[in-house]
Amino acid sequence: MRNEPTLVIVDAANTVGSVPDGWWRDRRGATLRLRDALVPLAAEEQDTFPGPVELVLVVEGVARDVEPVPGVRVEPAPGSGDDRIVELVAAEMSRPAARSCVVVTADRELRRRVEAYGARCVGPRTVRPPRADGSTGGRRAR
């Protein structure tokens, strides 16, 4: 059994933007709420991320100054958040004893780029907390 935690990299902009909850009025605030919602995932084991995890939230733009909290490392992207995520995945997967790496995003192009390095991808609903109505706030089927 591996002792090293799975590296889970969350595309903050894409995950925040996956739910039409008014995030566009306060992008930084929405990113803070996402960061705080990720904390329990670092402490508990789930089916999606078995074993211990290291959570990394990649932020960009007005959310670049969001601070880390225990359990969630924050990586500000100097430019494109997608490019920073690819850099993190490439660095991890080039290590001789690379850990399992999971990227949380719905961005198809980003998925293609990180999967080329061997990362696994999951959608934003994986880490979004349920809303008061019990949903994760995604689009409804029509």
PDB file of all heavy atoms in Angstrom, residues 113-140:
ATOM      1  N   ARG A 113      -4.724  17.659 -21.940  1.00  0.00           N
ATOM      2  CA  ARG A 113      -3.326  17.997 -21.644  1.00  0.00           C
ATOM      3  C   ARG A 113      -2.787  17.229 -20.444  1.00  0.00           C
ATOM      4  O   ARG A 113      -1.664  16.721 -20.492  1.00  0.00           O
ATOM      5  CB  ARG A 113      -3.183  19.505 -21.413  1.00  0.00           C
ATOM      6  CG  ARG A 113      -3.418  20.324 -22.669  1.00  0.00           C
ATOM      7  CD  ARG A 113      -3.458  21.810 -22.382  1.00  0.00           C
ATOM      8  NE  ARG A 113      -2.147  22.300 -21.951  1.00  0.00           N
ATOM      9  CZ  ARG A 113      -1.969  23.509 -21.416  1.00  0.00           C
ATOM     10  NH1 ARG A 113      -2.988  24.338 -21.235  1.00  0.00           N
ATOM     11  NH2 ARG A 113      -0.758  23.888 -21.053  1.00  0.00           N
ATOM     12  N   VAL A 114      -3.558  17.137 -19.363  1.00  0.00           N
ATOM     13  CA  VAL A 114      -3.029  16.461 -18.171  1.00  0.00           C
ATOM     14  C   VAL A 114      -3.094  14.940 -18.289  1.00  0.00           C
ATOM     15  O   VAL A 114      -2.242  14.239 -17.739  1.00  0.00           O
ATOM     16  CB  VAL A 114      -3.696  16.945 -16.864  1.00  0.00           C
ATOM     17  CG1 VAL A 114      -3.427  18.427 -16.658  1.00  0.00           C
ATOM     18  CG2 VAL A 114      -5.185  16.648 -16.836  1.00  0.00           C
ATOM     19  N   GLU A 115      -4.083  14.432 -19.023  1.00  0.00           N
ATOM     20  CA  GLU A 115      -4.149  12.984 -19.234  1.00  0.00           C
ATOM     21  C   GLU A 115      -2.955  12.497 -20.045  1.00  0.00           C
ATOM     22  O   GLU A 115      -2.506  11.364 -19.875  1.00  0.00           O
ATOM     23  CB  GLU A 115      -5.476  12.601 -19.899  1.00  0.00           C
ATOM     24  CG  GLU A 115      -6.643  12.681 -18.933  1.00  0.00           C
ATOM     25  CD  GLU A 115      -8.008  12.503 -19.579  1.00  0.00           C
ATOM     26  OE1 GLU A 115      -8.116  12.541 -20.840  1.00  0.00           O
ATOM     27  OE2 GLU A 115      -8.989  12.336 -18.817  1.00  0.00           O
ATOM     28  N   ALA A 116      -2.396  13.361 -20.892  1.00  0.00           N
ATOM     29  CA  ALA A 116      -1.198  13.004 -21.663  1.00  0.00           C
ATOM     30  C   ALA A 116      -0.011  12.713 -20.742  1.00  0.00           C
ATOM     31  O   ALA A 116       0.897  11.973 -21.112  1.00  0.00           O
ATOM     32  CB  ALA A 116      -0.851  14.124 -22.640  1.00  0.00           C
ATOM     33  N   TYR A 117      -0.035  13.269 -19.531  1.00  0.00           N
ATOM     34  CA  TYR A 117       1.022  13.013 -18.540  1.00  0.00           C
ATOM     35  C   TYR A 117       0.678  11.850 -17.612  1.00  0.00           C
ATOM     36  O   TYR A 117       1.475  11.480 -16.763  1.00  0.00           O
ATOM     37  CB  TYR A 117       1.281  14.262 -17.693  1.00  0.00           C
ATOM     38  CG  TYR A 117       2.032  15.327 -18.434  1.00  0.00           C
ATOM     39  CD1 TYR A 117       1.365  16.420 -18.973  1.00  0.00           C
ATOM     40  CD2 TYR A 117       3.409  15.252 -18.597  1.00  0.00           C
ATOM     41  CE1 TYR A 117       2.049  17.409 -19.657  1.00  0.00           C
ATOM     42  CE2 TYR A 117       4.108  16.231 -19.276  1.00  0.00           C
ATOM     43  CZ  TYR A 117       3.423  17.309 -19.807  1.00  0.00           C
ATOM     44  OH  TYR A 117       4.096  18.283 -20.492  1.00  0.00           O
ATOM     45  N   GLY A 118      -0.531  11.313 -17.735  1.00  0.00           N
ATOM     46  CA  GLY A 118      -0.931  10.184 -16.905  1.00  0.00           C
ATOM     47  C   GLY A 118      -1.840  10.525 -15.744  1.00  0.00           C
ATOM     48  O   GLY A 118      -2.135   9.669 -14.910  1.00  0.00           O
ATOM     49  N   ALA A 119      -2.301  11.776 -15.674  1.00  0.00           N
ATOM     50  CA  ALA A 119      -3.230  12.160 -14.607  1.00  0.00           C
ATOM     51  C   ALA A 119      -4.629  11.629 -14.923  1.00  0.00           C
ATOM     52  O   ALA A 119      -4.988  11.441 -16.083  1.00  0.00           O
ATOM     53  CB  ALA A 119      -3.283  13.674 -14.458  1.00  0.00           C
ATOM     54  N   ARG A 120      -5.401  11.410 -13.879  1.00  0.00           N
ATOM     55  CA  ARG A 120      -6.807  11.033 -14.012  1.00  0.00           C
ATOM     56  C   ARG A 120      -7.622  12.299 -13.794  1.00  0.00           C
ATOM     57  O   ARG A 120      -7.233  13.168 -13.011  1.00  0.00           O
ATOM     58  CB  ARG A 120      -7.151   9.986 -12.953  1.00  0.00           C
ATOM     59  CG  ARG A 120      -8.579   9.497 -12.999  1.00  0.00           C
ATOM     60  CD  ARG A 120      -8.768   8.270 -12.114  1.00  0.00           C
ATOM     61  NE  ARG A 120      -8.665   8.532 -10.703  1.00  0.00           N
ATOM     62  CZ  ARG A 120      -9.700   8.774  -9.899  1.00  0.00           C
ATOM     63  NH1 ARG A 120     -10.925   8.792 -10.374  1.00  0.00           N
ATOM     64  NH2 ARG A 120      -9.523   8.993  -8.613  1.00  0.00           N
ATOM     65  N   CYS A 121      -8.751  12.436 -14.465  1.00  0.00           N
ATOM     66  CA  CYS A 121      -9.587  13.624 -14.322  1.00  0.00           C
ATOM     67  C   CYS A 121     -10.973  13.256 -13.801  1.00  0.00           C
ATOM     68  O   CYS A 121     -11.513  12.202 -14.157  1.00  0.00           O
ATOM     69  CB  CYS A 121      -9.723  14.350 -15.656  1.00  0.00           C
ATOM     70  SG  CYS A 121      -8.174  15.040 -16.254  1.00  0.00           S
ATOM     71  N   VAL A 122     -11.509  14.132 -12.975  1.00  0.00           N
ATOM     72  CA  VAL A 122     -12.878  14.011 -12.493  1.00  0.00           C
ATOM     73  C   VAL A 122     -13.532  15.378 -12.615  1.00  0.00           C
ATOM     74  O   VAL A 122     -12.838  16.401 -12.694  1.00  0.00           O
ATOM     75  CB  VAL A 122     -12.944  13.504 -11.023  1.00  0.00           C
ATOM     76  CG1 VAL A 122     -12.395  12.094 -10.907  1.00  0.00           C
ATOM     77  CG2 VAL A 122     -12.220  14.446 -10.075  1.00  0.00           C
ATOM     78  N   GLY A 123     -14.842  15.403 -12.640  1.00  0.00           N
ATOM     79  CA  GLY A 123     -15.573  16.658 -12.800  1.00  0.00           C
ATOM     80  C   GLY A 123     -15.734  17.428 -11.508  1.00  0.00           C
ATOM     81  O   GLY A 123     -15.526  16.900 -10.413  1.00  0.00           O
ATOM     82  N   PRO A 124     -16.107  18.697 -11.621  1.00  0.00           N
ATOM     83  CA  PRO A 124     -16.278  19.564 -10.453  1.00  0.00           C
ATOM     84  C   PRO A 124     -17.270  19.053  -9.412  1.00  0.00           C
ATOM     85  O   PRO A 124     -17.103  19.317  -8.219  1.00  0.00           O
ATOM     86  CB  PRO A 124     -16.762  20.886 -11.053  1.00  0.00           C
ATOM     87  CG  PRO A 124     -16.233  20.882 -12.434  1.00  0.00           C
ATOM     88  CD  PRO A 124     -16.284  19.441 -12.867  1.00  0.00           C
ATOM     89  N   ARG A 125     -18.295  18.324  -9.838  1.00  0.00           N
ATOM     90  CA  ARG A 125     -19.271  17.814  -8.865  1.00  0.00           C
ATOM     91  C   ARG A 125     -18.627  16.916  -7.820  1.00  0.00           C
ATOM     92  O   ARG A 125     -19.162  16.730  -6.737  1.00  0.00           O
ATOM     93  CB  ARG A 125     -20.378  17.032  -9.569  1.00  0.00           C
ATOM     94  CG  ARG A 125     -21.335  17.905 -10.306  1.00  0.00           C
ATOM     95  CD  ARG A 125     -22.452  17.087 -10.884  1.00  0.00           C
ATOM     96  NE  ARG A 125     -23.339  17.932 -11.648  1.00  0.00           N
ATOM     97  CZ  ARG A 125     -24.526  17.560 -12.041  1.00  0.00           C
ATOM     98  NH1 ARG A 125     -24.957  16.347 -11.766  1.00  0.00           N
ATOM     99  NH2 ARG A 125     -25.283  18.377 -12.728  1.00  0.00           N
ATOM    100  N   THR A 126     -17.475  16.364  -8.148  1.00  0.00           N
ATOM    101  CA  THR A 126     -16.761  15.493  -7.216  1.00  0.00           C
ATOM    102  C   THR A 126     -16.401  16.220  -5.932  1.00  0.00           C
ATOM    103  O   THR A 126     -16.379  15.617  -4.866  1.00  0.00           O
ATOM    104  CB  THR A 126     -15.466  14.967  -7.889  1.00  0.00           C
ATOM    105  OG1 THR A 126     -15.813  14.382  -9.132  1.00  0.00           O
ATOM    106  CG2 THR A 126     -14.761  13.960  -7.031  1.00  0.00           C
ATOM    107  N   VAL A 127     -16.128  17.519  -6.026  1.00  0.00           N
ATOM    108  CA  VAL A 127     -15.684  18.268  -4.846  1.00  0.00           C
ATOM    109  C   VAL A 127     -16.646  19.355  -4.413  1.00  0.00           C
ATOM    110  O   VAL A 127     -16.415  20.010  -3.402  1.00  0.00           O
ATOM    111  CB  VAL A 127     -14.284  18.890  -5.073  1.00  0.00           C
ATOM    112  CG1 VAL A 127     -13.252  17.811  -5.314  1.00  0.00           C
ATOM    113  CG2 VAL A 127     -14.289  19.893  -6.213  1.00  0.00           C
ATOM    114  N   ARG A 128     -17.706  19.580  -5.175  1.00  0.00           N
ATOM    115  CA  ARG A 128     -18.672  20.616  -4.801  1.00  0.00           C
ATOM    116  C   ARG A 128     -19.574  20.104  -3.701  1.00  0.00           C
ATOM    117  O   ARG A 128     -20.146  19.028  -3.814  1.00  0.00           O
ATOM    118  CB  ARG A 128     -19.550  21.018  -5.994  1.00  0.00           C
ATOM    119  CG  ARG A 128     -18.856  21.709  -7.142  1.00  0.00           C
ATOM    120  CD  ARG A 128     -18.363  23.087  -6.824  1.00  0.00           C
ATOM    121  NE  ARG A 128     -19.396  23.948  -6.291  1.00  0.00           N
ATOM    122  CZ  ARG A 128     -19.468  25.235  -6.531  1.00  0.00           C
ATOM    123  NH1 ARG A 128     -18.594  25.824  -7.314  1.00  0.00           N
ATOM    124  NH2 ARG A 128     -20.399  25.966  -5.996  1.00  0.00           N
ATOM    125  N   PRO A 129     -19.724  20.852  -2.620  1.00  0.00           N
ATOM    126  CA  PRO A 129     -20.637  20.418  -1.564  1.00  0.00           C
ATOM    127  C   PRO A 129     -22.083  20.516  -2.043  1.00  0.00           C
ATOM    128  O   PRO A 129     -22.397  21.363  -2.874  1.00  0.00           O
ATOM    129  CB  PRO A 129     -20.377  21.400  -0.427  1.00  0.00           C
ATOM    130  CG  PRO A 129     -19.828  22.617  -1.093  1.00  0.00           C
ATOM    131  CD  PRO A 129     -19.102  22.136  -2.326  1.00  0.00           C
ATOM    132  N   PRO A 130     -22.954  19.652  -1.534  1.00  0.00           N
ATOM    133  CA  PRO A 130     -24.370  19.749  -1.915  1.00  0.00           C
ATOM    134  C   PRO A 130     -24.958  21.078  -1.440  1.00  0.00           C
ATOM    135  O   PRO A 130     -24.560  21.610  -0.415  1.00  0.00           O
ATOM    136  CB  PRO A 130     -25.032  18.588  -1.174  1.00  0.00           C
ATOM    137  CG  PRO A 130     -23.926  17.709  -0.730  1.00  0.00           C
ATOM    138  CD  PRO A 130     -22.694  18.547  -0.642  1.00  0.00           C
ATOM    139  N   ARG A 131     -25.899  21.602  -2.215  1.00  0.00           N
ATOM    140  CA  ARG A 131     -26.588  22.830  -1.816  1.00  0.00           C
ATOM    141  C   ARG A 131     -27.698  22.470  -0.838  1.00  0.00           C
ATOM    142  O   ARG A 131     -27.963  21.303  -0.567  1.00  0.00           O
ATOM    143  CB  ARG A 131     -27.154  23.523  -3.050  1.00  0.00           C
ATOM    144  CG  ARG A 131     -26.055  23.978  -3.985  1.00  0.00           C
ATOM    145  CD  ARG A 131     -26.509  24.848  -5.112  1.00  0.00           C
ATOM    146  NE  ARG A 131     -27.817  24.554  -5.653  1.00  0.00           N
ATOM    147  CZ  ARG A 131     -28.304  25.109  -6.730  1.00  0.00           C
ATOM    148  NH1 ARG A 131     -27.603  25.981  -7.402  1.00  0.00           N
ATOM    149  NH2 ARG A 131     -29.495  24.809  -7.174  1.00  0.00           N
ATOM    150  N   ALA A 132     -28.358  23.484  -0.319  1.00  0.00           N
ATOM    151  CA  ALA A 132     -29.431  23.280   0.656  1.00  0.00           C
ATOM    152  C   ALA A 132     -30.525  22.374   0.106  1.00  0.00           C
ATOM    153  O   ALA A 132     -31.154  21.625   0.849  1.00  0.00           O
ATOM    154  CB  ALA A 132     -30.017  24.618   1.086  1.00  0.00           C
ATOM    155  N   ASP A 133     -30.754  22.412  -1.225  1.00  0.00           N
ATOM    156  CA  ASP A 133     -31.797  21.580  -1.819  1.00  0.00           C
ATOM    157  C   ASP A 133     -31.308  20.154  -2.093  1.00  0.00           C
ATOM    158  O   ASP A 133     -32.019  19.343  -2.669  1.00  0.00           O
ATOM    159  CB  ASP A 133     -32.349  22.215  -3.098  1.00  0.00           C
ATOM    160  CG  ASP A 133     -31.323  22.307  -4.222  1.00  0.00           C
ATOM    161  OD1 ASP A 133     -30.183  21.815  -4.064  1.00  0.00           O
ATOM    162  OD2 ASP A 133     -31.666  22.874  -5.272  1.00  0.00           O
ATOM    163  N   GLY A 134     -30.043  19.859  -1.693  1.00  0.00           N
ATOM    164  CA  GLY A 134     -29.503  18.509  -1.862  1.00  0.00           C
ATOM    165  C   GLY A 134     -28.772  18.300  -3.171  1.00  0.00           C
ATOM    166  O   GLY A 134     -28.112  17.294  -3.374  1.00  0.00           O
ATOM    167  N   SER A 135     -28.847  19.273  -4.089  1.00  0.00           N
ATOM    168  CA  SER A 135     -28.168  19.133  -5.378  1.00  0.00           C
ATOM    169  C   SER A 135     -26.760  19.716  -5.284  1.00  0.00           C
ATOM    170  O   SER A 135     -26.433  20.415  -4.334  1.00  0.00           O
ATOM    171  CB  SER A 135     -28.944  19.862  -6.478  1.00  0.00           C
ATOM    172  OG  SER A 135     -28.764  21.256  -6.354  1.00  0.00           O
ATOM    173  N   THR A 136     -25.936  19.420  -6.282  1.00  0.00           N
ATOM    174  CA  THR A 136     -24.612  20.034  -6.352  1.00  0.00           C
ATOM    175  C   THR A 136     -24.646  21.264  -7.231  1.00  0.00           C
ATOM    176  O   THR A 136     -23.626  21.896  -7.445  1.00  0.00           O
ATOM    177  CB  THR A 136     -23.566  19.035  -6.885  1.00  0.00           C
ATOM    178  OG1 THR A 136     -24.010  18.540  -8.135  1.00  0.00           O
ATOM    179  CG2 THR A 136     -23.322  17.909  -5.911  1.00  0.00           C
ATOM    180  N   GLY A 137     -25.822  21.590  -7.751  1.00  0.00           N
ATOM    181  CA  GLY A 137     -25.997  22.821  -8.496  1.00  0.00           C
ATOM    182  C   GLY A 137     -25.656  22.747  -9.961  1.00  0.00           C
ATOM    183  O   GLY A 137     -25.561  23.758 -10.631  1.00  0.00           O
ATOM    184  N   GLY A 138     -25.475  21.555 -10.476  1.00  0.00           N
ATOM    185  CA  GLY A 138     -25.154  21.415 -11.896  1.00  0.00           C
ATOM    186  C   GLY A 138     -26.369  21.673 -12.761  1.00  0.00           C
ATOM    187  O   GLY A 138     -27.463  21.936 -12.269  1.00  0.00           O
ATOM    188  N   ARG A 139     -26.198  21.570 -14.048  1.00  0.00           N
ATOM    189  CA  ARG A 139     -27.309  21.783 -14.980  1.00  0.00           C
ATOM    190  C   ARG A 139     -28.319  20.658 -14.843  1.00  0.00           C
ATOM    191  O   ARG A 139     -27.978  19.517 -14.650  1.00  0.00           O
ATOM    192  CB  ARG A 139     -26.791  21.813 -16.405  1.00  0.00           C
ATOM    193  CG  ARG A 139     -25.949  23.005 -16.678  1.00  0.00           C
ATOM    194  CD  ARG A 139     -25.572  23.032 -18.125  1.00  0.00           C
ATOM    195  NE  ARG A 139     -24.776  24.211 -18.376  1.00  0.00           N
ATOM    196  CZ  ARG A 139     -23.836  24.272 -19.279  1.00  0.00           C
ATOM    197  NH1 ARG A 139     -23.572  23.242 -20.038  1.00  0.00           N
ATOM    198  NH2 ARG A 139     -23.156  25.379 -19.446  1.00  0.00           N
ATOM    199  N   ARG A 140     -29.561  21.043 -14.973  1.00  0.00           N
ATOM    200  CA  ARG A 140     -30.640  20.047 -14.919  1.00  0.00           C
ATOM    201  C   ARG A 140     -30.862  19.443 -16.288  1.00  0.00           C
ATOM    202  O   ARG A 140     -30.746  20.130 -17.304  1.00  0.00           O
ATOM    203  CB  ARG A 140     -31.926  20.695 -14.449  1.00  0.00           C
ATOM    204  CG  ARG A 140     -31.909  21.011 -12.977  1.00  0.00           C
ATOM    205  CD  ARG A 140     -33.215  21.609 -12.607  1.00  0.00           C
ATOM    206  NE  ARG A 140     -33.101  23.030 -12.947  1.00  0.00           N
ATOM    207  CZ  ARG A 140     -33.950  23.949 -12.563  1.00  0.00           C
ATOM    208  NH1 ARG A 140     -34.998  23.616 -11.891  1.00  0.00           N
ATOM    209  NH2 ARG A 140     -33.769  25.211 -12.883  1.00  0.00           N
TER     210      ARG A 140
END
